[in-house]
Structures are given as C-alpha cells and as structure tokens.
C-alpha cells in the first residue's frame, strides 16, 4: 500500500455508444470508436493518511458527499486487496467537469490506474478494462492512446488502439459553448432513450455498420469516409435523444452556429468534420494545416467560451512508476 498518482485524457467518441444492454454491469449495448486527446487531463492521487476515518473523494478541491460514480470500480478494487485503511482520492480535471467533455472517462481511467497501483494489485489490461467500465461505459477507451475501439459482444468487452496518434496525426479543436454542468447525465439520459425513443431499436440494430465503416476508414486513413460516418452517427444519436420522453437536447444556440460554420468550411472544400457528445460542446477534427483557419472562423461566433486545440494523446499512465 503506497501513494500513487495517475493521469488520463478524455476521449472523444466518433462512433458513439448511447444505451446499455446490462445496467448492473454497466455494459454498453453497442461498440464504439474514439480518439484519445492530449492537453485535457484528469489527475487522480491516492493516499492513505493515518488520521482519515473513511474513504473520502475530493473532486476539483471539493469534498464529495459520497463516492457516487466511482463507487463500483473503487469497491471492486478494494475488495481484491487486503487493504482496509481509509483511502483519500483526490481528483482534478484541468477542464470543465460533467459538461460533455468526457471527464468521467478520464477520471475513472486515472482512478483505476492509480488505485490498482496503490493497492499493489497486479492487474492485466483486460481486468483494467472490466474495472473501468463499471464506472463509465466510455472509460476503458481512455486507458488507450490514439484511435481506440471498444468492441462489445454480449457481455464480452475488448478494447484496443486501432492506430497510434503519430500514425495519423489528426487534430481535435474543442469548441466550448458552455461550461455549465449538464442537467441530465449521460447515464440517466441513455436509460430514458432506451425506454422511450421510437428510434432506439433502429439505432442499436444498425450501429455495427457505422462501426465497421469507421474502422475501415481509420485503417486506410480515409478522411472523407471517417468524417461522413462520424457526423451521421452523431446526428443519429442526437435524434434518439430528441425523440425520447422527455426530449433530451444538449445543443445550445452556439452549438448550432458552430455546426453551421463547419458546413461552410466543408462547402469551401476544407477537410473538416465535427462531433458532439452529451453536452453542447462541438469537437472539430481536421489535419493540422487547417487548425488556424478553423480556430479563426470559430472565434468569430458569439457565445464561444473557449477553444482548446488538442492532438491525439496517450493512454492512462502512472506518474510515479
Ligand atoms: O461515459 P458514459 O457512460 O457517461 O457515456 C458516454 C456517452 C457519449 O459520450 C455520448 C458517447 C460515447 O460513446 O462516449
């Protein structure tokens, strides 16, 4: 038992998951593909202060009333060790939390990496995947670098890097249109959609086709093909959300304006595409030679809070290994 610190980056889903097949095990109902970004990061420090009476989670400097979302992977890891001392978990994100920027994925991936080391558990990568998914269905993807696939076949999950970032160094421009926490968490939202959206079954049934199209596009580095399937998959997910009861709409006015600007750039022949997760932020993907032009255009849009330029990042890792 020792102190340990790990960092992990958020991942941006190109082929999304929205809906679970098994709520207790937190198993996604479909496979997904993402990009692990750099620049944005979650850092988690684990320690065992002598005077601490109970397991305590401090997120971005504020003490949480319960372990909430981290409870399942945390309890499972503690169960596997014989450490009974109270544990202090200190997590920090250098970007807005719970605003559709995948802070849960990077947070959980950094937690599982740091805690398994602190508890001196020798876990295989497959065990790490199974533990992170307990906290968030997208978290295993943040264990890996570059382009990542998370393949779901029944209750069997595999997760891998498809291509490293330096094999296809795309850039991700994150347009923050509101850093407010979202009103409906993805966990709650996807359950509402599963139960009520008339489009949900179709979304699940046709998902594998998008997954395969994106896989092929990444392996062959076909930008236009990857862009088309990413946008189509994103819009389908947001239609499922909107047709849920109650309707879920994460977009704001600025989100719409950014999407329109991407369409204008595409009409000018620029190779860019976008995607949007469970929040109002737009992620624009392009080659590095276009980054400055895109940022220049997006900066003109009223309501933009900030723009973060990211490359592709590494998987979760220990800082004190
Ligand atoms: O990581 P979760 O379980 O909160 O859900 C992620 C949901 C989306 O970001 C909308 C899609 C995805 O595949 O990341």
């Amino acid at each position: 038992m020792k102190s340990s610190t790990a960092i992990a980056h958020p991942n941006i889903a190109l082929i999304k998951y929205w809906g679970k097949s098994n709520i207790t095990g937190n198993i996604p109902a479909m496979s997904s593909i993402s990009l692990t970004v750099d620049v944005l990061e979650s850092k988690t420090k684990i320690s065992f202060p002598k005077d601490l009476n109970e397991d305590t989670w401090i997120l971005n400097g504020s003490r949480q009333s319960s372990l909430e979302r981290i409870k399942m992977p945390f309890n499972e890891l503690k169960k596997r060790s014989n450490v009974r001392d109270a544990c202090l978990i200190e997590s920090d994100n250098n970007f807005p939390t719970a605003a559709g920027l995948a802070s849960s994925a990077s947070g959980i991936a950094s937690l599982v990496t740091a805690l398994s080391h602190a508890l001196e558990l020798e876990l295989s990568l497959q065990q790490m995947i199974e533990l992170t998914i307990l906290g968030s269905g997208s978290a295993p993807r943040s264990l890996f670098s570059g382009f990542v696939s998370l393949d779901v076949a029944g209750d069997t999950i595999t997760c891998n890097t498809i291509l490293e970032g330096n094999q296809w160094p795309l850039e991700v421009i994150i347009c923050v249109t509101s850093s407010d926490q979202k009103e409906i968490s993805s966990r709650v939202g996807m359950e509402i959609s599963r139960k009520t959206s008339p489009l949900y079954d179709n979304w699940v049934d046709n998902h594998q086709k998008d997954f395969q199209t994106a896989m092929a596009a990444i392996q062959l580095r076909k930008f236009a093909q990857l862009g088309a399937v990413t946008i189509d998959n994103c819009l389908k997910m947001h239609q499922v959300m909107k047709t849920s009861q109650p309707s879920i709409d994460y977009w704001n006015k600025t989100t719409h304006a950014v999407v329109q600007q991407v369409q204008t750039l595409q009409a000018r022949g620029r190779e860019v595409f976008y995607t949007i997760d469970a929040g109002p932020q737009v992620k624009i993907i392009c080659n590095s030679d276009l980054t400055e032009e895109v940022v220049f255009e997006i900066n003109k849009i009223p309501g933009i809070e900030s723009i973060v330029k990211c490359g592709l990042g590494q998987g979760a890792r220990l800082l004190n290994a």
Side-chain angles (χ1 to χ4, degrees):
M1 175 178 105
K2 49 193 171 197
S3 290
S4 184
T5 304
I7 61 169
H9 302 290
N11 66 77
I12 309 300
L14 301 179
I15 301 300
K16 321 280 190 193
Y17 105 85
W18 187 254
K20 297 187 208 288
S21 63
N22 170 338
I23 309 291
T24 330
N26 207 31
I27 308 290
M30 70 248 354
S31 301
S32 55
I33 294 180
S34 61
L35 299 174
T36 299
V37 295
D38 59 12
V39 182
L40 308 186
E41 71 181 35
S42 297
K43 188 190 277 189
T44 300
K45 180 178 177 206
I46 303 290
S47 58
F48 302 89
K50 289 240 164 350
D51 51 354
L52 196 72
N53 305 321
E54 56 173 356
D55 296 326
T56 303
W57 181 28
I58 297 178
L59 173 61
N60 295 327
S62 68
R63 191 189 163 135
Q64 306 295 296
S65 53
S66 73
L67 295 189
E68 287 174 12
R69 197 152 191 183
I70 64 170
K71 195 160 138 195
M72 287 231 287
F74 179 83
N75 287 349
E76 190 55 41
L77 275 163
K78 258 196 135 179
K79 214 164 77 188
R80 292 182 194 198
S81 81
N82 39 28
V83 174
R84 296 293 164 258
D85 302 39
C87 175
L88 178 63
I89 307 142
E90 293 168 279
S91 315
D92 287 293
N93 297 322
N94 70 352
F95 61 99
T97 300
L101 288 171
S103 57
S104 63
S106 49
I108 299 283
S110 63
L111 166 80
V112 170
T113 305
L115 186 59
S116 55
H117 185 253
L119 296 174
E120 300 183 42
L121 297 168
E122 305 262 317
L123 300 180
S124 66
L125 202 46
Q126 187 58 30
Q127 287 172 312
M128 299 280 282
I129 292 168
E130 286 160 12
L131 282 157
T132 44
I133 211 159
L134 293 174
S136 149
S138 57
R141 299 189 313 231
S142 279
L143 295 172
F144 294 87
S145 51
F147 294 78
V148 178
S149 72
L150 193 156
D151 223 309
V152 185
D155 279 357
T156 309
I157 309 288
T158 44
C159 195
N160 293 299
T161 291
I162 311 165
L163 274 189
E164 293 294 347
N166 62 7
Q167 293 179 287
W168 196 12
L170 297 182
E171 302 219 328
V172 182
I173 302 162
I174 299 181
C175 311
V176 179
T177 68
S178 167
S179 44
D180 294 347
Q181 293 211 355
K182 54 194 171 200
E183 281 167 19
I184 303 183
S185 70
S186 25
R187 179 164 296 208
V188 170
M190 62 178 78
E191 211 22 34
I192 295 175
S193 293
R194 184 180 72 80
K195 289 186 180 146
T196 64
S197 168
L199 303 183
Y200 184 78
D201 288 345
N202 199 46
W203 158 249
V204 177
D205 293 345
N206 291 306
H207 200 272
Q208 195 60 16
K209 220 167 61 210
D210 288 354
F211 179 81
Q212 271 152 5
T213 305
M215 272 299 252
I218 293 167
Q219 276 152 354
L220 301 170
R221 298 168 182 69
K222 288 191 167 174
F223 189 92
Q225 183 176 325
L226 184 60
V229 70
T230 297
I231 293 176
D232 184 49
N233 188 266
C234 166
L235 295 180
K236 282 189 291 202
M237 180 184 76
H238 287 278
Q239 269 310 106
V240 171
M241 294 167 168
K242 278 185 208 159
T243 53
S244 303
Q245 299 270 356
S247 176
I248 304 165
D249 187 357
Y250 287 112
W251 298 31
N252 61 28
K253 242 169 61 190
T254 313
T255 315
H256 285 275
V258 175
V259 167
Q260 242 171 36
Q261 184 55 56
V262 175
Q263 287 163 346
T264 304
L265 285 162
Q266 287 176 325
R268 268 191 225 157
R270 304 296 188 267
E271 286 211 302
V272 286
F273 64 87
Y274 67 90
T275 192
I276 299 160
D277 289 302
Q281 332 308 350
V282 186
K283 292 92 177 193
I284 302 174
I285 294 105
C286 61
N287 280 297
S288 58
D289 57 338
L290 285 181
T291 302
E292 289 318 316
E293 181 181 355
V294 173
V295 170
F296 179 76
E297 295 298 343
I298 298 299
N299 254 326
K300 293 185 202 161
I301 299 173
I304 289 290
E305 278 192 11
S306 60
I307 296 178
V308 187
K309 295 182 262 179
C310 302
L312 301 193
Q314 300 175 54
R317 58 207 179 273
L318 290 166
L319 285 187
N320 52 345

